[in-house]
Amino acid sequence: MSLFWRIFSLNAAGLVVAAAMLLGPVTVSTPVLPAEALVVVVGLALLLAGNAVVLRLGLAPLRRLGRAMADADLLRPGAREVVAGPAEAAELISTYNSMLDRLQSERAAGAARALSAQERERHRIAAELHDEVGQTLTAVLLQLKRVADRAPEGLREEVGQAQEATRAGLDEIRRIARRLRPGVLEELGLVSALRSLATEFTAHGLTVRHQVAAELPPLTEEAELVLYRVAQEGLTNTARHSGADRAGIELTGLPHGVELVVRDNGKGIGGSPEGAGLRGMRERALLVGAELLVRPGPERGTEIRLRVPAGGGR
């Protein structure tokens, strides 16, 4: 029943009862007698109380809907508001749930296109760094070697320092290219890629332990890329912001999927708002129907837990 008919029916019932009593045993004298005033006041109080109850019950679903709308986040898909209450409220809640489903679907599709374009751009930049800048630095190294062979004794040390700086720059270019385009993921698979990722961050001042299951349920290429990028972004955040000296990567199989855990012993995220890195992780998780949870670690630091269903992907 709609809210209008609920209130109208209650008021109509009250007025009918009042009219029947006035036409029957109840009369109003002039001046009003105390007993008659008591009957009128009690009747009015009952009518007002009934209206208050009907309005409170009828508007409760709208209050719940308001809270749900205030807390809605397209990157955190959750349970929909229960369709209940008067017809107007039930219709509004149903429309809101449908709108949220459509927005999340459109957001996921848009994120998929954006991330796909991002991956293509990463591959292009990585190829240019490797083929153009890398080859140029390699040529510079060869030229410096020839100069070192012909240089006077007093200049050989400076030329050697230039060689070492060029070689370090070439190594850095190659490292950046590998991070932009995880060739090991394409060539050797997810397990080897995660182990290589842990080794790479360990070589840059952060001790990263890895525990990766050898056998995993079948995953799509998209799901493997999401797992790799989430692990990479998690370790990058750890290295840049957490102040941690230890981190860990765990990848285990579940009955119907896999679970990736990245944790560190840093200062944690506290009450700070989520940055672009974490929001990027959530967008990637939506692409494969995964569940992403970011919370404090068992002792301290931060723990990122990603659960990907087997065969996840759109």
Side-chain angles (χ1 to χ4, degrees):
M1 184 182 297
S2 68
L3 186 60
F4 168 79
W5 284 110
R6 291 187 184 192
I7 298 176
F8 178 80
S9 300
L10 178 64
N11 289 331
L15 292 174
V16 168
V17 170
M21 294 183 68
L22 288 173
L23 295 175
V26 177
T27 59
V28 179
S29 305
T30 303
V32 179
L33 299 176
E36 296 172 344
L38 178 61
V39 171
V40 172
V41 170
V42 170
L44 180 61
L46 291 175
L47 187 60
L48 291 175
N51 276 276
V53 170
V54 170
L55 286 174
R56 178 171 291 275
L57 294 177
L59 296 178
L62 296 180
R63 288 195 295 271
R64 292 197 302 270
L65 178 62
R67 290 193 296 268
M69 294 174 70
D71 297 336
D73 187 348
L74 296 181
L75 293 180
R76 290 185 173 89
R80 297 291 181 260
E81 188 64 24
V82 177
V83 179
E88 299 93 341
E91 182 179 359
L92 183 60
I93 293 172
S94 179
T95 302
Y96 170 73
N97 289 341
S98 300
M99 180 193 69
L100 204 57
D101 291 337
R102 185 173 64 255
L103 288 176
Q104 287 185 342
S105 178
E106 292 174 356
R107 173 65 181 268
R113 291 191 295 269
L115 291 175
S116 177
Q118 184 185 80
E119 288 297 330
R120 290 195 299 270
E121 188 67 9
R122 284 172 179 258
H123 284 200
R124 184 187 67 79
I125 295 174
E128 290 185 359
L129 286 175
H130 184 273
D131 298 338
E132 303 294 335
V133 182
Q135 290 181 5
T136 300
L137 289 179
T138 302
V140 171
L141 274 177
L142 293 175
Q143 292 175 356
L144 286 174
K145 184 178 183 305
R146 288 195 293 268
V147 170
D149 293 339
R150 300 175 184 177
E153 188 67 29
L155 292 178
R156 288 185 179 179
E157 182 178 354
E158 295 182 8
V159 175
Q161 293 175 353
Q163 283 180 295
E164 291 302 319
T166 305
R167 188 174 291 108
L170 181 60
D171 292 340
E172 184 66 15
I173 289 294
R174 289 171 175 169
R175 184 184 69 82
I176 294 173
R178 285 196 303 270
R179 295 189 64 187
L180 288 173
R181 182 181 182 180
V184 64
L185 177 62
E186 300 173 356
E187 297 168 4
L188 301 179
L190 179 63
V191 173
S192 297
L194 290 179
R195 290 172 178 168
S196 175
L197 189 65
T199 302
E200 176 185 340
F201 277 88
T202 297
H204 288 78
L206 182 68
T207 302
V208 182
R209 299 184 180 276
H210 58 82
Q211 183 177 348
V212 183
E215 297 184 2
L216 298 170
L219 296 168
T220 63
E221 292 182 2
E222 189 177 30
E224 289 187 350
L225 182 60
V226 168
L227 286 163
Y228 179 85
R229 289 301 188 195
V230 168
Q232 184 183 54
E233 185 63 35
L235 291 178
T236 300
N237 287 344
T238 296
R240 289 179 179 175
H241 309 299
S242 72
D245 58 1
R246 296 193 311 276
I249 298 178
E250 296 179 10
L251 182 65
T252 56
L254 299 175
H256 302 290
V258 298
E259 181 179 65
L260 172 72
V261 179
V262 182
R263 61 169 62 97
D264 60 59
N265 67 339
K267 60 184 180 182
I269 57 176
S272 59
E274 292 188 357
L278 285 178
R279 296 190 68 83
M281 292 184 200
R282 296 193 185 280
E283 288 183 345
R284 290 185 180 277
L286 285 178
L287 297 181
V288 293
E291 178 187 356
L292 181 73
L293 180 64
V294 181
R295 63 186 183 184
E299 299 178 356
R300 62 171 185 158
T302 305
E303 178 180 274
I304 300 171
R305 192 175 292 269
L306 178 70
R307 293 177 180 173
V308 179
R314 295 183 184 273

